[in-house]
Amino acid sequence: MTIIEIEEKIQQLVETFEQEQFIFDFLLAFGEPKATISRLKKGNLNQLESKGELTHRKKLFFKIAQNNLHSTIDRLKNETQPLKQKPRFIMVTDFKTLLAYDTKTGDSLDIVFEDLSKHYAFFLPLAGMEKAQYQDENIADVKASRKLANLFDEIVKHNPPHNKEDTHALNIFLTRLLFCYFAEDTLIFEDNQFTNAIKSHTNTDGSDLDAYLLRLFEVFNTQNREERLPAYLKAFPYVNGGLFQTTYPIPKFTTKSRAILIEIGSLGWAEINPDIFGSMIQAVVSSEYRGGMGMHYTSVPNIMKVIQPLFLDELYEEFENAKENKRKLQSLTVRIANLKIFDPACGSGNFLIIAYKELRILEMKILKQLDILAKQKSFVFSEMHLSQFYGIELDDFAHEVAKLSLWLAEHQMNLLFYKEFGRTAPSLPLKNGGNISHGNATRLNWEEVCPKEEEDEIYILGNPPYLGSSMQNREQKEDLALVFKGFKNYKNLDYIACWFYLGAKYIQNINAKYAFVTTNSISQGEQVAMLWSHIFDKNLEIFFAHQSFKWSNNAKSNAGVTVAIIGLRHLSKSSKYIYRNNIKQNVNNINAYLVDSKDIVINRRSNPISNIPKMLRGNSPFDGGNLILNDKEKDELINEYPFFQNYVKKLIGSAEFMKNTFRWVLWIDDNQVSEVEKSILIKARIDKVYKMRLESTDKGTRKLSERPHQFRDRREAKKHSILIPRVGSSRRDYIPCGVQDKNIIIADSAQVIYDSDIYIFSILSSKIHLIWVKAVSGYLKTDFRYSSILSYNTFPFPTITKKQKEALTEHTFAVLDERERHSEKTLAQLYDPDKMPEGLKEAHHQLDLAVERCYRAKPFSSDEERLAYLFGLYEEMVEKEVRK
């Protein structure tokens, strides 16, 4: 049984059910055999009629209740009798509301009965389909995230925010709740003190819960308590430190929201990581809102890819070198206690939290080593403070959670310190948290957020928002204009370029470095020329880089993106590293393309730098689709007007080329117009083109209305053409090029070289050309965009002899012959790296060897060596042009 079938059956059941038959039809919908249902009816009918209950061993305990559904299911969760048969689900309903509990995962369902079809997935284990698990997450984190989202939805349902003040108050309330949950499970409060107090001292319908919480939060903010204060409130400790300082409205509660609030308290909050609170935010903030804010959520292993090469590896190296020297170890603890860590797009604080925890761990290792050297236990405490950590965050909720998360991270590390040394600083009252500023990082003065002094050691890090120019809203475009005021050609930069440039300005004249997770587009194509010269002009260099890789995160509904990590510092003779597939390699230099080569910027060119023919874009139609025909339209035309076959040609673009298909185009000379307009069908198409072009707001398009029977471009081959797709997959080992007959028209989704020597095919199809294209071209996600101005015209290829040209021509035909052996397959299939035929692979390999011998006799040992050689040759060619 499929999921779609289950969904359809549940939908039908909700619309047509009979109460006494419901549970049997429900089980049938999830694939329970009819014979089993018959046995269930016989064995449970009396119990169902008398008590409204049905037990299906190891699968379901079902009960019909007329009132008090929530208290009923809470009782059933703990009663021996219903659990005796080990049911996977407990379900209670009055056919207006339906409650369910998954005894395996602990998940709950609380819905309007008629919405059952929207939530059928909750019960998929009945059909043998387990709900997806988060492999890389702590289960406690996932549950907390989901439960908090449920609570948020229920609160908003009955307390819809009407303005920014309402939203801010709700954000503050949720962060305070998070603190209370964490506190009662981690020895800040007594065990379950907060949840038990709500259970014992508020009404089950939630009517007085807002007043109770308002008073409790006031108690947290009061150090000197009134004598008449009830003992159950006086039992809570003084908390403040700013968290409960300001009074905000508390939302109204219902029976359901109170129950969820208590249920959340039953989770094991001691197991929940403060650094996962970003996931919780993602769960409670709508995807539309989150996407608009450009927020990203980052897992611990990915954060370590930033902080280790930025500062942590160096600190550990210093620790290893100082292990036997007490003075040097003490000096290192002082250094750590004076670091400043600054995240100017901190979100919920993930990077700051992990940096704090890792530094505390290193500090503890140093203190243990000092005890070993002293041969006795010392009585020092941690010298680190949250005031060393700085951040900027645009989103109000994330900003509040960042501050809270740092407090909780400090408490966690204090507990760990106590475990290791038997002493620690008290967690309460809270001290001032991290210096997290709420605002737009592109507008705030970073030096006011994180003041820099002459003796400071500062590390800037984070995962700022990456939005391409087409995805930026008006305000973000204004941010870009403000940051790059006075610069030319900045408008196509990715939004994250603001952080790279502001970071370069900030670290001037101080001991500082910075590293950001970034979209890989800023190290590709035209953005390199737009951005990096302004950064390198400030005497900075890239000292480590993780080359492009797929990046996913731990948050609910996370989406993988392709990113790089780039670290910058002042010019230095210290080592530089490139990370490829998590392998660290020492290199001489890292240029803006994140390769080991000189700091060269590849600029657009209108003509090839090498002695190779001109490449053009295919023919652009600007016809509204009216001059293009499919097979059926072409056949109908030829059947009615046979002589029209002289005016119709095959049309091929990138998609058709890769799929071995084609379309048709009306290809009409000026002196043929009167003849073709004898066809009413063709005349109608030409008239539509005329109207479309004439009504355009573009002057050039209106000019084209003077020849509506033609594409905007009218280029065609005299002998043949070489086609190359304008978008290519980075998965492929080669760029699939093609040699086309002179009668085939190339569409503008492809690049084309007309009537060139055939050996040019070998150059375009070579591995060394693909390596260059991947390095310097623009990208659409992970697919490179092949352009003449960046990919082809900049490609350095030496002048070759007639004999070398003849050899490359032979290899061209060898590749084409191998393709022809598999004519039943499309080029997309042939060039799939997992399915490429061995004969075609070998033909390309031999072609590669021949092309690379044009550069030098000695074979290249790696792609990195190939690329470094190409950059060097490009530099020589540019210098030669300048001299000329």
Side-chain angles (χ1 to χ4, degrees), residues 339-400:
L339 296 178
K340 287 182 178 179
I341 311 295
F342 176 28
D343 183 348
C346 69
S348 57
N350 302 49
F351 279 82
L352 296 175
I353 294 160
I354 300 304
Y356 173 79
K357 291 168 79 169
E358 290 296 326
L359 289 170
R360 286 289 302 268
I361 289 169
L362 175 57
E363 184 189 44
M364 284 190 283
K365 289 180 179 180
I366 297 168
L367 294 178
K368 286 175 75 172
Q369 183 64 20
L370 283 168
D371 284 354
I372 292 171
L373 293 180
K375 297 182 180 179
Q376 63 180 15
K377 281 193 174 185
S378 61
F379 291 93
V380 297
F381 291 86
S382 172
E383 294 295 325
M384 286 189 63
H385 303 283
L386 294 182
S387 57
Q388 296 172 239
F389 294 81
Y390 299 80
I392 301 173
E393 175 50 37
L394 180 63
D395 177 66
D396 180 52
F397 192 2
H399 155 258
E400 294 296 337

Side-chain angles (χ1 to χ4, degrees), residues 608-823:
I609 194 171
S610 306
N611 187 22
I612 51 180
K614 191 172 183 65
M615 177 180 283
L616 300 170
R617 188 165 171 171
N619 293 285
S620 297
F622 280 74
D623 70 330
N626 292 292
L627 299 178
I628 299 172
L629 310 174
N630 59 33
D631 284 342
K632 182 181 177 183
E633 290 167 335
K634 188 269 294 185
D635 290 342
E636 289 175 352
L637 178 66
I638 301 302
N639 287 337
E640 186 175 351
Y641 301 96
F643 68 92
F644 262 60
Q645 60 189 350
N646 298 320
Y647 309 127
V648 177
K649 291 192 176 186
K650 284 184 178 179
L651 177 70
I652 291 181
S654 293
E656 292 82 11
F657 174 65
M658 295 303 297
K659 296 176 184 176
N660 289 2
T661 61
F662 50 84
R663 292 179 292 169
W664 302 90
V665 58
L666 295 172
W667 203 252
I668 304 164
D669 292 335
D670 292 339
N671 60 4
Q672 297 168 330
V673 176
S674 59
E675 182 69 17
V676 299
E677 285 190 340
K678 291 178 181 178
S679 163
I680 297 174
L681 186 150
I682 297 302
K683 188 175 187 310
R685 284 176 173 266
I686 292 174
D687 288 345
K688 287 179 181 178
V689 176
Y690 173 80
K691 185 174 184 295
M692 183 274 292
R693 290 177 176 177
L694 193 64
E695 292 175 351
S696 172
T697 57
D698 179 72
K699 183 179 178 180
T701 304
R702 290 198 302 273
K703 177 73 173 173
L704 288 174
S705 66
E706 295 174 5
R707 52 183 185 92
H709 54 287
Q710 294 176 338
F711 272 23
R712 184 194 72 175
D713 302 321
R714 287 277 296 172
R715 292 185 287 265
E716 53 187 318
K718 295 177 181 177
K719 296 184 296 182
H720 60 258
S721 58
I722 296 177
L723 177 154
I724 185 164
R726 284 179 52 214
V727 176
S729 170
S730 293
R731 285 188 65 243
R732 296 193 185 110
D733 297 323
Y734 300 97
I735 300 173
C737 306
V739 179
Q740 302 299 322
D741 182 84
K742 67 178 182 179
N743 293 314
I744 292 176
I745 304 302
I746 309 301
D748 65 349
S749 60
Q751 301 286 358
V752 59
I753 300 173
Y754 291 106
D755 302 312
S756 70
D757 291 332
I758 289 294
Y759 78 86
I760 297 297
F761 174 97
S762 286
I763 300 172
L764 298 176
S765 299
S766 66
K767 183 177 185 179
I768 198 167
H769 182 57
L770 175 62
I771 290 166
W772 180 261
V773 169
K774 286 183 175 180
V776 306
S777 300
Y779 274 72
L780 183 65
K781 294 185 179 178
T782 58
D783 296 335
F784 60 81
R785 295 178 295 179
Y786 193 101
S787 69
S788 61
I789 56 177
L790 271 176
S791 311
Y792 179 77
N793 291 345
T794 64
F795 180 58
F797 187 76
T799 301
I800 59 175
T801 65
K802 181 180 178 183
K803 186 176 179 179
Q804 288 173 314
K805 291 178 183 178
E806 290 172 350
L808 295 184
T809 300
E810 288 181 17
H811 287 293
T812 293
F813 286 120
V815 168
L816 294 175
D817 287 344
E818 280 298 326
R819 288 184 188 176
E820 194 59 35
R821 294 179 195 276
H822 304 276
S823 58

Side-chain angles (χ1 to χ4, degrees), residues 68-339:
N68 299 325
L69 270 67
H70 290 90
S71 58
T72 299
I73 199 167
D74 286 342
R75 174 175 53 79
L76 292 172
K77 288 178 190 177
N78 300 301
E79 279 190 358
T80 305
Q81 188 58 35
L83 297 178
K84 198 181 215 178
Q85 301 296 324
K86 299 180 179 178
R88 175 62 186 267
F89 295 99
I90 298 172
M91 183 191 294
V92 176
T93 185
D94 59 1
F95 299 104
K96 295 176 183 175
T97 299
L98 185 144
L99 308 180
Y101 176 70
D102 186 332
T103 61
K104 180 178 179 179
T105 66
D107 290 336
S108 297
L109 186 67
D110 184 343
I111 58 172
V112 177
F113 183 83
E114 63 186 23
D115 288 341
L116 179 58
S117 60
K118 297 177 183 177
H119 299 275
Y120 71 92
F122 184 85
F123 299 100
L124 283 177
L126 292 174
M129 303 178 199
E130 282 298 330
K131 288 165 272 189
Q133 298 294 317
Y134 289 75
Q135 295 179 351
D136 298 326
E137 292 181 349
N138 181 342
I139 291 297
D141 295 337
V142 177
K143 283 186 179 180
S145 178
R146 290 175 177 171
K147 299 292 186 186
L148 193 70
N150 292 340
L151 178 63
F152 176 84
D153 291 342
E154 185 63 19
I155 288 175
V156 168
K157 181 178 176 182
H158 297 278
N159 303 265
H162 298 292
N163 49 49
K164 287 184 178 180
E165 289 73 22
D166 291 348
T167 301
H168 180 68
L170 180 57
N171 293 344
I172 296 293
F173 173 71
L174 288 171
T175 57
R176 288 173 174 179
L177 271 188
L178 285 172
F179 172 80
C180 292
Y181 287 136
F182 196 84
E184 68 176 357
D185 273 6
T186 58
L187 306 179
I188 297 177
F189 296 168
E190 293 179 14
D191 190 34
N192 291 322
Q193 184 178 8
F194 174 70
T195 303
N196 287 339
I198 292 172
K199 279 183 184 178
S200 304
H201 301 288
T202 64
N203 297 328
T204 56
D205 63 1
S207 58
D208 62 346
L209 183 51
D210 58 327
Y212 176 82
L213 290 173
L214 186 64
R215 192 174 187 195
L216 179 60
F217 290 171
E218 288 173 355
V219 168
F220 290 155
N221 188 41
T222 306
Q223 191 165 13
N224 300 313
R225 313 288 177 69
E226 298 176 10
E227 285 297 324
R228 60 182 182 178
L229 191 70
Y232 64 85
L233 288 176
K234 193 180 291 185
F236 283 98
Y238 169 63
V239 172
N240 220 321
L243 183 58
F244 294 94
Q245 187 170 5
T246 306
T247 300
Y248 290 97
I250 305 291
K252 297 290 184 182
F253 281 80
T254 63
T255 301
K256 182 177 178 179
S257 55
R258 176 183 178 274
I260 296 173
L261 188 144
I262 292 171
E263 186 179 8
I264 293 174
S266 68
L267 298 175
W269 283 83
E271 303 169 26
I272 294 166
N273 299 316
D275 42 275
I276 204 67
F277 286 163
S279 293
M280 296 184 181
I281 293 172
Q282 190 172 13
V284 300
V285 178
S286 72
S287 58
E288 179 184 356
Y289 179 76
R290 185 173 66 253
M293 301 301 288
M295 293 165 66
H296 294 272
Y297 303 91
T298 318
S299 66
V300 176
N302 283 333
I303 292 172
M304 295 299 289
K305 289 178 181 177
V306 177
I307 68 174
Q308 283 179 320
L310 181 61
F311 62 83
L312 198 60
D313 287 347
E314 180 189 334
L315 293 173
Y316 267 95
E317 185 178 346
E318 185 175 338
F319 171 52
E320 290 298 323
N321 294 333
K323 267 191 170 178
E324 304 306 320
N325 188 311
K326 181 179 177 182
R327 182 183 59 78
K328 288 183 178 180
L329 288 173
Q330 290 171 332
S331 177
L332 181 55
T333 62
V334 172
R335 179 185 175 188
I336 292 171
N338 285 282
L339 296 178

Side-chain angles (χ1 to χ4, degrees), residues 443-593:
R443 307 289 180 113
L444 294 179
N445 184 336
W446 289 16
E447 294 188 29
E448 291 180 2
V449 174
C450 180
K452 55 184 189 181
E453 307 294 337
E454 188 175 341
E455 300 299 320
D456 280 345
E457 181 178 355
I458 304 175
Y459 296 100
I460 307 168
L461 75 181
N463 184 13
Y466 13 101
L467 294 164
S469 58
S470 63
M471 301 295 291
Q472 295 162 15
N473 61 31
R474 187 178 67 179
E475 184 178 354
Q476 288 156 349
K477 288 184 182 295
E478 290 171 355
D479 293 341
L480 204 69
L482 180 66
V483 172
F484 291 97
K485 186 177 181 180
F487 291 86
K488 296 179 180 179
N489 302 323
Y490 67 84
K491 292 184 179 180
N492 286 334
L493 281 171
D494 193 284
Y495 191 47
I496 198 174
C498 297
W499 277 258
F500 275 91
Y501 185 66
L502 291 172
K505 288 175 63 178
Y506 178 88
I507 71 170
Q508 293 298 294
N509 305 316
I510 58 166
N511 179 18
K513 301 175 183 177
Y514 70 95
F516 293 130
V517 182
T518 173
T519 170
N520 57 356
S521 62
I522 69 163
S523 58
Q524 298 165 340
E526 63 181 0
Q527 293 203 49
V528 172
M530 293 178 190
L531 174 65
W532 287 98
S533 59
H534 303 306
I535 291 176
F536 292 151
D537 284 348
K538 297 185 181 300
N539 294 319
L540 301 182
E541 64 181 5
I542 299 173
F543 73 100
F544 82 89
H546 279 268
Q547 292 180 330
S548 297
F549 65 98
K550 280 281 189 181
W551 172 286
S552 58
N553 56 63
N554 282 352
K556 185 179 179 184
S557 303
N558 75 77
V561 292
T562 302
V563 301
I565 300 173
I566 303 175
L568 288 112
R569 70 183 179 197
H570 300 290
L571 295 177
S572 170
K573 294 182 179 179
S574 300
S575 298
K576 300 170 184 171
Y577 302 98
I578 288 178
Y579 296 80
R580 299 183 185 94
N581 301 318
N582 289 325
I583 297 171
K584 181 179 178 181
Q585 182 178 351
N586 197 321
V587 296
N588 294 320
N589 189 56
I590 306 172
N591 67 16
Y593 299 93

